[in-house]
Amino acid sequence: MKSLKLLSSLAFTLIACASFSQSDSLDKYILTPPPSPKPHINGAEVFGVRPNSPVIYKIAASGQKPLHYEVKNLPQGLSVDASTGVITGALKNAGDYKMEVTVSNALGKNKRNFTIKVGNQLGLTPAMGWNSWNCWGLSVNADRVKSSARAMIDKGLIDYGWSYINIDDGWEAAQRNADGTISPNEKFPDMKSLSDWLHAQGLKFGIYSSPGTRTCGGFLASYQHELQDAATYASWGVDYLKYDWCSYDSVYRAEGDTTDAAFIKPYTIMQKALLQQPRDIYYSLCQYGWRDVWKWGANVNGNSWRTTGDINDSWGSLTSIWSRQAPLYPYASPGHWNDPDMLVVGMLGWSDNLHPTKLTPDEQYTHISLWCLLSAPLLIGCDMSKLDNFTTSLLTNDEVLALDQDILGKQAQQIIKKDDYQIWVKQLEDGTHAIGIFNLSKEAKTIHVDWKELNLSETLTVRDLWRKKDLGKFKKGFDTKVNSHGVELIKVK
Ligand code: GLA
């Protein structure tokens, strides 16, 4: 008995060492300095809401806790919790409500302008949050969702603007109720209380369905129950719907009409159903980029639309998705985003069996840099309760995330495309530019950037965003050594 105990404690120590050495070895790839204990306001500078819809908006701010939040010119109808920074309430009249946010702690204060735009546009900056699919697949359950939400708070991601907690496929009961309404299955005993709990933390709640009879995972979907489902989601407090084509294919083929109009129809039906709800629901179209969705997604109020098939954690998948994004830059704008699919960093698995992402650290820097340059929705796809230091650092660099959340809402343009490297440039609201210099080759290489080729001024000041470091003034151009499959992400002015 004693020797058995000894053996099991030895095994435990070995396992603990193995997992420690794994995250330990990734620590050396961290480029971003640790966050300052002084207060700093992060996240988007605008938030869109419809008249009378409930507002739940958490002011994202990092710095040593406790933090104190104040908002000057907060319009009537809204209030802010001074200790959590969560703004709640509703606004009746359309318009731009400009305010000044101050966050303070024992070490100082930080101020920033913030605008709530009341009108008919949601998702004025791309959604940032978590989705269950790339980690849990169909084995998602309420505890797993809650543990990722808990980690979003405890590991400080919420302080950088991460806010949506989205359940993907696998939550639906096998049968509809007698009145036709949909219920969750036994893995989600109480959707309303899950949603209330998320909202109380300042987080938002997302759900998944399909326009056909079945979801991609074979669960019940919304065909001919769209309005009823939208009302059920609203009653649960849902803030985000991913609407995934899948089995609608057989519906529209059976109807014998495969025109673009017939393809778009189910998304219009759900659009109308969502618009009738007394709360705002971010509408995420999922149809793998078919029928040039970027050309009509905004017309059905799509806040984002998938541009490709499903991602996985391989360089091949990343580059294949990447290769299709360049022509789509004119279609991204505030409220309407191209979605190259969810993030594949951290512990993934699409099932009960999780594994660390197969992307190398450099490939992960490329992945996050590219998605931010593309103004893509950022949905973390891993088990966040197992976030290691490297992945946390990758997801909490405020200067990198600010590119994604820039209120101008322009997607980066691919300016230089060679076999072994690419240069993408994103125009930012403050008149500066972000530049991603990507090395696609198998060796580290020095890449020369010629300002003129990028249509930029002759002399530019360069800041390395991952390292948060000013690199100085550069006349005519800039040389940088980039690791294989890695990136140098800079901001120039
Ligand atoms: C499709 C989507 C995925 C995921 C699954 C769920 O494959 O593209 O993102 O939602 O369905 O079944």
Side-chain angles (χ1 to χ4, degrees):
M1 188 66 190
K2 222 175 167 187
S3 58
L4 238 179
K5 262 192 173 165
L6 211 77
L7 260 178
S8 73
S9 98
L10 189 69
F12 177 78
T13 316
L14 280 175
I15 290 167
C17 287
S19 57
F20 172 72
S21 67
Q22 200 214 359
S23 61
D24 189 42
S25 66
L26 281 179
D27 283 2
K28 62 175 181 276
Y29 297 103
I30 296 177
L31 299 177
T32 302
S36 160
K38 291 190 181 155
H40 189 265
I41 302 170
N42 305 306
E45 286 170 31
V46 290
F47 179 64
V49 61
R50 294 200 177 98
N52 298 313
S53 292
V55 171
I56 298 178
Y57 183 84
K58 161 102 176 84
I59 299 165
S62 47
Q64 186 182 293
K65 309 270 166 34
L67 293 169
H68 179 80
Y69 302 78
E70 266 170 83
V71 182
K72 211 155 105 190
N73 299 329
L74 188 69
Q76 219 185 356
L78 298 183
S79 61
V80 61
D81 182 317
S83 61
T84 62
V86 179
I87 299 176
T88 50
L91 293 168
K92 275 196 202 123
N93 301 319
D96 286 2
Y97 296 82
K98 292 184 193 299
M99 45 207 102
E100 185 188 72
V101 174
T102 304
V103 178
S104 49
N105 68 8
L107 301 167
K109 55 172 71 172
N110 185 221
K111 282 187 190 188
R112 203 169 80 174
N113 294 332
F114 177 62
T115 305
I116 297 189
K117 284 178 177 274
V118 182
N120 57 10
Q121 294 279 18
L122 311 178
L124 293 177
T125 62
M128 286 175 68
W130 174 87
N131 171 293
S132 57
W133 184 250
N134 291 351
C135 45
W136 301 120
L138 296 175
S139 57
V140 61
N141 63 39
D143 287 343
R144 287 174 165 175
V145 171
K146 241 178 155 172
S147 85
S148 272
R150 189 77 263 162
M152 189 175 266
I153 300 161
D154 294 346
K155 310 225 170 180
L157 272 73
I158 193 172
D159 304 334
Y160 291 84
W162 298 94
S163 60
Y164 285 95
I165 295 289
N166 297 351
I167 305 172
D168 207 278
D169 205 355
W171 62 266
E172 309 87 339
Q175 308 264 311
R176 285 187 177 269
N177 303 317
D179 64 357
T181 54
I182 195 155
S183 305
N185 56 38
E186 66 295 343
K187 296 186 295 160
F188 291 89
D190 189 345
M191 283 296 198
K192 178 73 168 76
S193 75
L194 176 60
S195 148
D196 287 347
W197 180 80
L198 292 170
H199 289 153
Q201 321 296 315
L203 295 171
K204 297 201 176 72
F205 179 42
I207 211 158
Y208 166 98
S209 189
S210 302
T213 53
R214 296 272 152 193
T215 66
C216 297
F219 285 75
L220 268 191
S222 298
Y223 184 55
Q224 293 182 336
H225 290 275
E226 295 82 0
L227 187 56
Q228 217 168 15
D229 285 0
T232 302
Y233 305 152
S235 76
W236 291 340
V238 163
D239 306 297
Y240 184 115
L241 172 68
K242 172 173 172 183
Y243 209 42
D244 191 358
W245 176 262
C246 255
S247 75
Y248 193 81
D249 224 55
S250 45
V251 175
Y252 99 134
R253 282 184 203 290
E255 285 175 359
D257 181 2
T258 54
T259 57
D260 283 352
F263 189 91
I264 296 167
K265 188 174 85 178
Y267 288 97
T268 315
I269 295 174
M270 187 49 98
Q271 168 199 23
K272 290 189 180 142
L274 293 177
L275 276 174
Q276 289 178 51
Q277 304 314 315
R279 62 184 299 116
D280 292 343
I281 301 184
Y282 179 110
Y283 193 21
S284 151
L285 314 186
C286 179
Q287 29 48 293
Y288 339 114
W290 292 350
R291 302 288 174 113
D292 292 354
V293 56
W294 38 88
K295 295 189 180 151
W296 52 267
N299 300 339
V300 299
N301 288 349
N303 298 112
S304 58
W305 43 79
R306 280 275 296 278
T307 56
T308 63
D310 289 12
I311 196 167
N312 65 51
D313 53 330
S314 68
W315 180 243
S317 169
L318 196 65
T319 48
S320 141
I321 289 179
W322 182 353
S323 69
R324 277 174 278 162
Q325 305 309 312
L328 308 186
Y329 84 90
Y331 302 102
S333 68
H336 311 290
W337 311 104
N338 293 307
D339 174 7
D341 207 3
M342 299 174 289
L343 303 177
V344 281
V345 299
M347 293 297 282
L348 308 164
W350 292 269
S351 70
D352 285 319
N353 304 313
L354 301 185
H355 64 261
T357 178
K358 292 186 189 122
L359 296 181
T360 66
D362 279 305
E363 290 167 353
Q364 295 180 60
Y365 281 113
T366 289
H367 181 23
I368 304 297
S369 305
L370 184 65
W371 262 234
C372 289
L373 287 167
L374 292 173
S375 309
L378 299 176
L379 290 167
I380 300 167
C382 67
D383 176 1
M384 293 210 293
S385 71
K386 299 199 178 66
L387 272 185
D388 55 73
N389 297 337
F390 171 77
T391 316
T392 305
S393 153
L394 198 63
L395 299 172
T396 54
N397 178 315
D398 57 307
E399 297 186 30
V400 173
L401 295 173
L403 304 183
D404 184 73
Q405 296 293 303
D406 187 74
I407 59 176
L408 190 63
K410 290 245 188 233
Q411 177 167 323
Q413 278 181 265
Q414 183 189 51
I415 309 287
I416 308 279
K417 183 180 182 239
K418 307 269 185 204
D419 287 344
D420 50 351
Y421 74 93
Q422 293 186 12
I423 302 180
W424 289 62
V425 180
K426 180 177 165 93
Q427 202 185 328
L428 300 168
E429 200 265 338
D430 64 0
T432 65
H433 292 85
I435 307 179
I437 307 151
F438 298 95
N439 176 4
L440 282 90
S441 75
K442 289 195 177 132
E443 294 89 38
K445 61 160 58 237
T446 298
I447 299 174
H448 176 68
V449 187
D450 182 330
W451 300 146
K452 212 167 158 192
E453 277 186 333
L454 308 185
N455 291 320
L456 298 173
S457 320
E458 198 181 316
T459 305
L460 292 169
T461 320
V462 176
R463 181 162 173 85
D464 179 320
L465 295 181
W466 281 112
R467 294 173 184 82
K468 293 189 161 194
K469 199 172 159 193
D470 289 326
L471 301 182
K473 255 189 187 165
F474 292 82
K475 221 175 162 183
K476 291 201 159 102
F478 171 73
D479 284 305
T480 181
K481 190 165 180 202
V482 187
N483 291 341
S484 162
H485 295 184
V487 61
E488 174 68 27
L489 184 65
I490 56 174
K491 188 167 166 176
V492 297
K493 60 176 179 189

